[in-house]
Amino acid sequence: MKKHIFPLSIIIINLLVWVFAYPHMSDQVPIHWSSSGEVDRYASKMEAMLTAMGLIIVVYALMAVTPKIDPRKKNYRLFSKTYDILVNAMMVIFSLINLLMVLSGLGYDLPTRSIAPVLVGALLIVIGNYLPRVRPNFFMGIKNPWTLSSDEIWKKTHRFGAKVFTVAGIFIIADGLFAIGPSVILPIILITVFAPYVYSYMLFRKENGMNR
C-alpha cells in the first residue's frame, strides 16, 4: 500500500490545483503546443481539466493493474522498486505538464518551447537509467517477438536501449534549452523507438544462426 501513497498524492495535488485555479482561468485554455512552442489547440477549461486529470488517473490505474494481469507477473517481483520509480517518474512528468496547462490558462506566458522538451528529455533519461533493471514482461520495456523469445536478448536489448534513451534525452533537453531546431526532435524520437527493435532483431538472427 505504501507504494501507492506517492502517485495518489500526485493525483490529489493536481486535483486541488485545478479546484483552486478553475474560477480564475480563462474560458479557453491552451492544451497543445506546436514544436515551435506556439499554441495550436485550445479547449474549454472544463474539457482541459477533465483531459489532464483523466490522463493522470488512467496512467496510474494502468500501472497499478498491469503487474496483476501480466502473464509474467512473477517477474515484477524482481524489479518492483524499478517499476515503482518509473511509474512515479511518469506521474511527476504528467503532473508538470498539467501544471503548465493550468498556468497557461491563468494567463502566464511560459516558455513552452523550452519546457516541454526538457520534461520529455528528463523522462527519457530516467527511463534509460532504469531500463536495464526491467525483467521480461508483456507491458513495460522494449517488447517485440525477439526480446520476448529470449531472456538474453531481452537483457542485451535493454542495456542497448538504456544508452539510446539516455543520449536521446540529452539531445532533446539540449534542443529545448538552445533551440537547435523543431526538425530535430522527430528524428531523435524515431531513432529512439526503432534502434532497439533493429538491435534485438540482429541479436535474434545471431542467436539462431541466421547470419550465415
Side-chain angles (χ1 to χ4, degrees):
M1 183 61 188
K2 290 182 179 180
K3 66 181 180 180
H4 296 287
I5 294 177
F6 183 80
L8 288 175
S9 298
I10 289 291
I11 293 174
I12 293 172
I13 290 172
N14 277 273
L15 182 58
L16 290 175
V17 167
W18 274 103
V19 169
F20 285 109
Y22 193 87
H24 310 287
M25 297 174 70
S26 58
D27 292 333
Q28 294 295 307
V29 178
I31 62 171
H32 193 271
W33 291 262
S34 68
S35 57
S36 61
E38 299 296 326
V39 178
D40 57 12
R41 185 184 173 192
Y42 289 86
S44 68
K45 57 184 179 180
M46 177 59 72
E47 180 185 348
M49 181 181 70
L50 293 177
T51 300
M53 289 305 305
L55 178 61
I56 293 176
I57 293 172
V58 168
V59 168
Y60 167 68
L62 288 175
M63 294 298 100
V65 74
T66 291
K68 300 179 181 179
I69 63 174
D70 195 318
R72 295 189 175 183
K73 56 185 177 183
K74 292 182 179 179
N75 282 354
Y76 283 80
R77 300 173 185 173
L78 303 176
F79 69 103
S80 59
K81 290 184 179 180
T82 295
Y83 186 81
D84 293 340
I85 289 172
L86 292 176
V87 171
N88 290 337
M90 286 189 287
M91 294 293 289
V92 168
I93 295 298
F94 282 121
S95 179
L96 292 174
I97 293 174
N98 182 48
L99 181 60
L100 177 65
M101 191 182 300
V102 171
L103 291 175
S104 296
L106 289 172
Y108 290 94
D109 185 16
L110 301 173
T112 53
R113 173 64 182 85
S114 298
I115 296 175
V118 169
L119 293 178
V120 172
L123 181 60
L124 288 177
I125 291 174
V126 171
I127 293 174
N129 188 50
Y130 288 96
L131 202 56
R133 305 183 189 183
V134 177
R135 295 295 179 264
N137 68 90
F138 286 95
F139 287 97
M140 176 174 280
I142 303 168
K143 306 169 297 298
N144 58 48
W146 311 296
T147 56
L148 293 173
S149 70
S150 165
D151 287 354
E152 188 63 24
I153 292 177
W154 175 284
K155 183 187 300 182
K156 290 181 179 179
T157 299
H158 281 70
R159 287 177 178 172
F160 172 77
K163 298 176 183 177
V164 174
F165 272 67
T166 301
V167 172
I170 292 172
F171 272 105
I172 291 176
I173 289 176
D175 177 62
L177 296 177
F178 305 110
I180 298 174
S183 61
V184 171
I185 293 182
L186 181 57
I188 292 175
I189 294 296
L190 291 175
I191 292 173
T192 304
V193 171
F194 288 107
Y197 275 72
V198 174
Y199 182 74
S200 63
Y201 177 65
M202 292 171 59
L203 289 176
F204 176 80
R205 288 180 60 88
K206 183 178 180 180
E207 186 176 278
N208 290 273
M210 298 171 65
N211 288 335
R212 299 174 182 176

